[in-house]
Amino acid sequence: MTPELSPSGIDVVGDMPWGMHYSVFYESRGDLLDVIIPYFATGLDAGELCVWMPSDPSAEAAAIEGLRARVRDFDGRVKKGDIVFSRYSDFFDTNGHVDTAKALSQWQKWDVQAREGGYAGLRGSGNPAFLDQSGWKSFNSYEQALHDFLTGRRMRVVCSYSLETLSAADVLDAAKTHHFVLARRGGGWEFLEVPELKRTKDELQRINDELEHRVAERTSELATANEELQAEIDERRRVEEDLRRTETYLEHGQRLSHSGSYAIDPASREFSYWSAETFRIFGLEPTDRPPTRAETYEMIHPADRERVQRMGREAIVEHRDVEMDFRVIWPNGDTRYVHLTARPVPDTSGGLVEVVGSLLDVTERKHAAVRLANVKRVARERTLEHRFAATLEERTRLAREIHDSLLQGVTGIALQLRATLPNLGQAPLATVESIRQIVELADSTVRDARRAVWDIRAPALAQKGLPVALEEELPRIADGIHIAFTVEGAPRPLSSPLEDTIFRIGQEAVINAKRHSGAKGVSVVLTYRPRSVRLTVRDDGRGFRVDPKGRTHGGRWGLLGMRERAERIGASLTVRSEPEKGTMIELRVRSVRTAESKEKPALRGLTRAS
């Protein structure tokens, strides 16, 4: 790792790493100032905590003046504590010798102050001008301890010594306790290379020569390996390009066919892969991460969610192939139909490696099937309508035939015979009685013919009246469904066509509820009002969507038949239903005539039918 370098402030030294400890021997005070002033000015500019321990008051004063000229607001920096002036006396014991432990403790405090104060580091210097030969030995021991203390710390220290007070041996001792030694004499610089440094240089040269040889060998090996690697890279690129091309083809194919693919991790039961088209099938923009299992289930239609979860468990737990259809709710609320297949992938021991599968958007296919079913239903309805119209036409023709031939002929015979009776005064009594019976038989035949024209009526309706006939007949045809029958208002006789139509529509409504709705109960209310009669049939079955055009439901003609019956007597038929909310059928007959005046209107209705 390359050490962090910062300016030393001394030109001949340049940038240096932290933890450096070196000494400068000077000849004059000017030489000392040439070291101290740029050294501390550079440290203050770099945001470092500066500590100086001068011992010559005159040199100290000159250095302060020089720093004041070099450093902006030097006095303010002093007050702030960016530069600390200390004395070596704080390091001495009672005998006047340097107390190494006390000295290192103080350096420790300054180091903490620099770190906690947010300084870039600590820059220190001492000038023990007081040293002589007697104190050099103990001071040199302190220098060795300081040298070791600085290692690994954001600190650097320059020790300055006067050449006038020390010998050449002292210079050599200083070289042993510092990284290197400089001398400033007469304005020039001299560099002392210590033996350790010389040995280090020689060793570095040897190591460098050996390294160059190894590098040459390794370069040759790497060149060969590089050629092999380049060939492998080229092959991998070709394979990757083929893979990308295949994936592109697959993606476009899936997009064109609205089919996607996926994979499930059996351990976590989470999706490990979604193709881009799978995201689109769920109405999402493709991303690098598939949704979680919980997020995916939230996008599935609530009615299909439990079934999808069950089939997923079967694929993972039972190692079964799965195929199913379900619905997806897009973020915009649209419902899409999806066909899913899932296939477990086992390993050689039979364990499950993963589950892979495909998804196919079959929404258009489903819609086409619905449209086809609607077309078929409409075709069936039209066929039934044509059949019903043909049946109605045939019935009308028969009614006309009965009316125009049989009914009018019998009526004419009865009128002729009734006109002949007064002229049979001298005829035998038996003959007169026989002719009277023939007239009565003709009248009876006319009445029976009228009933046949209007429809074959139920026996109970003819004998007991509409309310009783409904109350007895509806539970019988309901076949176990509970029928709640209620009559509101005062019942009164109605014309035969009206009673017959009300009765038949009530029958058909209950039969429809039994056959198609799955109802448990049916409520039937027959309401008599002064100028109308209303029949209301409600069931609690599954219901259906009512065709706004009034066509049949599910291809059945029951509703259509009820509407036709209602229209024949000028009544209105209302059908209300919704899925899962049951069905209500209401028949409303207005301006109702009573049975006392029904013969003439009934004949008029017969005439219109003819």
Side-chain angles (χ1 to χ4, degrees):
M1 179 178 177
T2 304
E4 180 184 353
L5 301 177
S6 59
S8 66
I10 302 173
D11 293 340
V12 71
V13 175
D15 296 343
M16 64 171 55
W18 294 103
M20 292 299 294
H21 181 216
Y22 57 100
S23 60
V24 176
F25 287 85
Y26 61 92
E27 190 174 54
S28 65
R29 188 177 70 179
D31 294 331
L32 175 63
L33 295 179
D34 289 342
V35 175
I36 293 301
I37 293 175
Y39 176 73
F40 280 122
T42 301
L44 290 172
D45 291 341
E48 300 173 7
L49 176 64
C50 298
V51 177
W52 188 28
M53 292 180 293
S55 56
D56 182 356
S58 62
E60 178 181 359
I64 290 175
E65 288 300 321
L67 288 171
R68 187 176 286 125
R70 288 277 300 271
V71 179
R72 176 184 293 182
D73 191 23
F74 176 76
D75 294 329
R77 301 289 294 274
V78 173
K79 291 180 180 179
K80 185 180 177 182
D82 294 344
I83 183 168
V84 177
F85 294 93
S86 184
R87 296 291 182 268
Y88 274 107
S89 59
D90 296 335
F91 292 175
F92 290 164
D93 58 16
T94 55
N95 296 323
H97 297 122
V98 174
D99 186 336
T100 301
K102 183 187 292 186
L104 294 182
S105 175
Q106 182 58 54
W107 281 110
Q108 176 72 33
K109 292 178 182 179
W110 285 328
D111 183 28
V112 172
Q113 180 181 346
R115 285 186 279 109
E116 293 182 351
Y119 291 96
L122 174 64
R123 180 180 294 242
S125 181
N127 176 226
F130 57 85
L131 277 179
D132 55 18
Q133 293 297 321
S134 62
W136 174 253
K137 185 175 182 180
S138 63
F139 193 84
N140 197 46
S141 298
Y142 152 71
E143 288 280 26
Q144 182 63 54
L146 177 61
H147 186 81
D148 298 334
F149 176 79
L150 295 177
T151 302
R153 300 175 185 271
R154 294 183 68 85
M155 299 173 62
R156 61 170 59 92
V157 175
V158 174
C159 299
S160 55
Y161 302 103
S162 174
L163 289 172
E164 294 180 355
T165 59
L166 298 176
S167 65
D170 296 331
V171 174
L172 294 177
D173 289 339
K176 296 178 182 179
T177 58
H178 295 78
H179 289 102
F180 57 88
V181 176
L182 295 174
R184 179 72 172 175
R185 295 195 303 172
W189 291 100
E190 296 179 14
F191 182 79
L192 176 62
E193 186 175 53
V194 299
E196 183 178 355
L197 181 59
K198 180 66 169 62
R199 287 193 300 271
T200 300
K201 283 185 176 181
D202 293 341
E203 180 66 17
L204 286 176
Q205 184 61 42
R206 185 188 66 78
I207 292 175
N208 184 67
D209 293 342
E210 182 179 346
L211 180 61
E212 287 183 354
H213 178 70
R214 290 182 179 179
V215 167
E217 291 181 346
R218 186 57 178 164
T219 299
S220 177
E221 294 174 358
L222 288 176
T224 303
N226 185 62
E227 292 177 358
E228 297 174 354
L229 180 60
Q230 186 62 46
E232 183 179 343
I233 291 174
D234 293 340
E235 176 63 17
R236 180 175 298 178
R237 285 176 178 172
R238 186 188 63 78
V239 172
E240 290 177 349
E241 184 63 29
D242 291 343
L243 179 60
R244 278 195 296 269
R245 188 180 300 108
T246 301
E247 290 177 344
T248 301
Y249 294 157
L250 176 62
E251 181 178 352
H252 283 288
Q254 288 187 347
R255 190 157 191 174
L256 289 173
S257 62
H258 298 292
S259 62
S261 53
Y262 64 91
I264 299 175
D265 176 19
S268 63
R269 298 193 178 184
E270 295 288 349
F271 290 102
S272 58
Y273 169 75
W274 269 26
S275 69
E277 191 60 23
T278 299
F279 283 95
R280 298 186 185 99
I281 288 174
F282 279 84
L284 305 174
E285 287 297 323
T287 64
D288 295 334
R289 185 189 67 85
T292 65
R293 179 176 53 175
E295 292 170 342
T296 304
Y297 285 147
E298 285 297 318
M299 293 184 282
I300 295 175
H301 194 285
D304 300 338
R305 196 171 296 157
E306 192 278 332
R307 182 164 55 89
V308 174
Q309 292 173 336
R310 185 178 69 254
M311 300 296 279
R313 287 192 297 269
E314 290 181 2
I316 295 175
V317 177
E318 302 178 15
H319 299 187
R320 289 178 49 189
D321 289 354
V322 170
E323 188 169 356
M324 64 180 301
D325 289 348
F326 60 92
R327 288 165 292 178
V328 170
I329 307 297
W330 278 12
N332 63 3
D334 289 350
T335 299
R336 308 292 293 183
Y337 292 85
V338 177
H339 180 76
L340 173 144
T341 60
R343 180 183 180 185
V345 179
D347 56 21
T348 55
S349 62
L352 187 61
V353 177
E354 64 179 349
V355 175
V356 298
S358 63
L359 297 168
L360 181 64
D361 188 335
V362 295
T363 304
E364 296 305 321
R365 184 187 303 174
K366 290 284 186 180
H367 289 170
V370 171
R371 289 193 294 268
L372 179 60
N374 289 336
V375 170
K376 290 181 178 179
R377 177 178 58 81
V378 171
R380 287 196 300 269
E381 290 173 357
R382 290 177 178 174
T383 301
L384 291 173
E385 288 175 358
H386 291 320
R387 289 178 182 176
F388 186 82
T391 301
L392 184 60
E393 182 180 353
E394 180 63 16
R395 291 175 63 186
T396 302
R397 187 188 66 79
L398 290 174
R400 184 183 299 111
E401 291 292 333
I402 293 173
H403 177 266
D404 292 346
S405 58
L406 176 62
L407 185 57
Q408 290 187 0
V410 173
T411 301
I413 292 171
L415 290 176
Q416 290 290 337
L417 291 174
R418 189 175 285 110
T420 304
L421 283 175
N423 300 323
L424 297 177
Q426 301 301 321
L429 187 59
T431 300
V432 174
E433 183 62 27
S434 177
I435 293 174
R436 185 177 288 109
Q437 288 178 359
I438 291 173
V439 171
E440 291 177 355
L441 180 59
D443 289 339
S444 175
T445 301
V446 169
R447 288 193 299 271
D448 290 342
R450 286 171 178 166
R451 290 194 185 95
V453 170
W454 282 106
D455 205 352
I456 300 173
R457 307 187 69 203
L461 178 61
Q463 297 171 9
K464 301 177 181 180
L466 180 61
V468 176
L470 286 172
E471 187 173 12
E472 293 180 354
E473 178 68 9
L474 297 185
R476 184 186 67 79
I477 64 176
D479 192 22
I481 298 176
H482 175 69
I483 301 294
F485 179 73
T486 306
V487 178
E488 297 180 354
R492 62 182 182 274
L494 305 174
S495 65
S496 297
L498 296 185
E499 286 191 344
D500 185 73
T501 300
I502 295 172
F503 181 80
R504 296 299 185 191
I505 289 178
Q507 278 184 318
E508 187 66 30
V510 172
I511 290 173
N512 282 347
K514 180 185 72 171
R515 290 179 178 174
H516 309 304
S517 73
K520 297 180 179 179
V522 179
S523 168
V524 182
V525 180
L526 179 61
T527 304
Y528 288 90
R529 291 183 178 175
R531 298 184 60 81
S532 67
V533 174
R534 185 173 68 242
L535 179 69
T536 306
V537 182
R538 288 188 176 89
D539 68 60
D540 58 2
R542 63 178 62 92
F544 60 92
R545 295 191 183 279
V546 178
D547 192 324
K549 297 182 179 180
R551 295 175 297 189
T552 65
H553 173 64
R556 303 181 183 91
W557 64 283
L559 291 179
L560 185 60
M562 285 189 275
R563 292 188 188 278
E564 293 287 351
R565 288 180 183 273
E567 290 174 0
R568 275 169 42 187
I569 62 171
S572 63
L573 185 76
T574 303
V575 180
R576 295 190 181 93
S577 182
E578 291 184 22
E580 310 303 330
K581 293 187 178 181
T583 302
M584 187 277 289
I585 297 176
E586 182 179 84
L587 174 69
R588 186 183 296 271
V589 185
R590 299 183 181 277
S591 302
V592 177
R593 295 179 181 271
T594 61
E596 287 78 3
S597 61
K598 69 182 179 180
E599 290 300 326
K600 192 173 182 180
L603 289 174
R604 286 202 301 268
L606 180 59
T607 303
R608 288 194 301 271
S610 63

